[in-house]
Amino acid sequence: MRQPPFEIRDIHPWRLEHPGFLTLEGDDICIWRLPAAADPRSVAPLWAVLAPEERERARRLRRPEDHTTFVIARGALRMLTAAYLDRPPLSIEFEYGPRGKPALAPCGIPLQFNLTHTGELCLIAFSRRRILGVDAERLDRPLRVESFARRILGAQELEAFARVPEPMRRRALLEAWVRKEAYLKATGEGLAGGPGTVAVSLAPDEPARFLDGPPVAAGWDLWALDLGPGYVGALAASPGSTRRPPTNFT
């Protein structure tokens, strides 16, 4: 597969205080990866840019690790969005869809984003034009594989799942899960949309793709993200004019 020169960036929370102005053109997609756990002292600059309602949400999280993860994810989202818009972080306003999907409030500059965090990993995806959904999962998450498969897979997917060798089934199932979630997050439906409403590939030797239904008809794209040991991830994007695949992490 031809790899276009997309910029995939790793960044740490303590480097977000001065990210500088960021550029992003047309259909390009940039995914930022950062640790969702850090020394609480290093996230102080991120706490400082949170809106009052975001700080209140953070205070309601009782586990220290959940509090830190929330501050990193939302603070990073504000810092990076501000850098793309060339505006102060505290001036950024978000609005929320019926199912809770965050989006940039109208400001005259197009910018789409989506974020996810799991374990010690946080991903934030940006594009000017393409509606995005990104999702990731830890491979060691507690999971009853067979019952979970029956809950989220459709008939066509269950047939493919039955052909996956037993040692590979956990990963195949979680790959399917993040691919479905990425699309449902992009559309704003979330889990309320029902994972059974979208069919995806899951065989270990098969690229990520939609099998049928609305995303195929509408021309949506789907990619697996190589997040390294211990994680699986996926990115879904609405049709672009250039139809270029983003680079996976290396």
Side-chain angles (χ1 to χ4, degrees):
M1 180 177 65
R2 184 171 62 90
Q3 297 292 343
F6 279 22
E7 193 165 20
I8 306 298
R9 298 185 178 182
D10 286 287
I11 196 166
H12 292 278
W14 54 87
R15 292 175 52 199
L16 280 164
E17 191 170 3
H18 303 288
F21 177 66
L22 299 174
T23 59
L24 193 62
E25 301 297 331
D27 294 335
D28 288 355
I29 299 170
C30 184
I31 306 174
W32 294 82
R33 175 171 54 181
L34 61 156
D39 184 329
R41 292 173 296 180
S42 72
V43 302
L46 301 180
W47 175 265
V49 303
L50 296 185
E53 62 270 20
E54 292 171 321
R55 293 186 182 189
E56 182 57 33
R57 286 179 62 185
R59 292 189 184 101
R60 291 199 298 266
L61 297 172
R62 298 189 176 185
R63 297 199 311 164
E65 57 269 35
D66 292 340
H67 178 276
T68 298
T69 295
F70 180 86
V71 173
I72 289 174
R74 294 305 295 243
L77 174 62
R78 279 191 170 274
M79 288 287 201
L80 293 169
T81 300
Y84 281 118
L85 300 179
D86 196 21
R87 297 184 178 185
L90 282 171
S91 73
I92 304 301
E93 295 185 10
F94 298 116
E95 59 185 18
Y96 298 87
R99 306 287 188 184
K101 182 187 179 183
L104 185 66
C107 66
I109 304 176
L111 187 67
Q112 302 287 335
F113 68 84
N114 198 240
L115 65 86
T116 187
H117 53 78
T118 182
E120 297 185 353
L121 175 73
C122 177
L123 302 175
I124 309 178
F126 288 93
S127 180
R128 291 290 181 191
R129 297 176 181 168
R130 307 188 71 174
I131 300 170
L132 304 173
V134 65
D135 196 52
E137 273 291 351
R138 294 175 11 242
L139 283 170
D140 65 352
R141 63 165 283 182
L143 185 68
R144 293 182 177 179
V145 173
E146 299 301 326
S147 61
F148 191 58
R150 290 191 296 271
R151 183 162 71 88
I152 71 164
L153 301 180
Q156 183 180 5
E157 296 164 315
L158 283 170
E159 290 180 7
F161 184 67
R163 295 191 293 270
V164 175
E166 184 69 32
M168 306 176 74
R169 286 191 171 187
R170 167 180 282 270
R171 184 183 187 99
L173 184 59
L174 288 173
E175 292 274 20
W177 173 248
V178 296
R179 293 169 190 180
K180 290 168 177 278
E181 266 283 86
Y183 173 72
L184 292 171
K185 289 176 66 179
T187 62
E189 290 297 317
L191 289 179
T197 62
V198 54
V200 298
S201 61
L202 54 80
D205 58 349
E206 187 177 7
R209 64 184 181 91
F210 296 110
L211 300 182
D212 54 32
V216 174
W220 280 70
D221 287 313
L222 179 68
W223 302 279
L225 296 177
D226 180 5
L227 302 178
Y231 292 94
V232 293
L235 173 72
S238 63
S241 59
T242 57
R243 307 288 293 174
R244 299 185 307 170
T247 304
N248 288 356
F249 292 121
T250 59

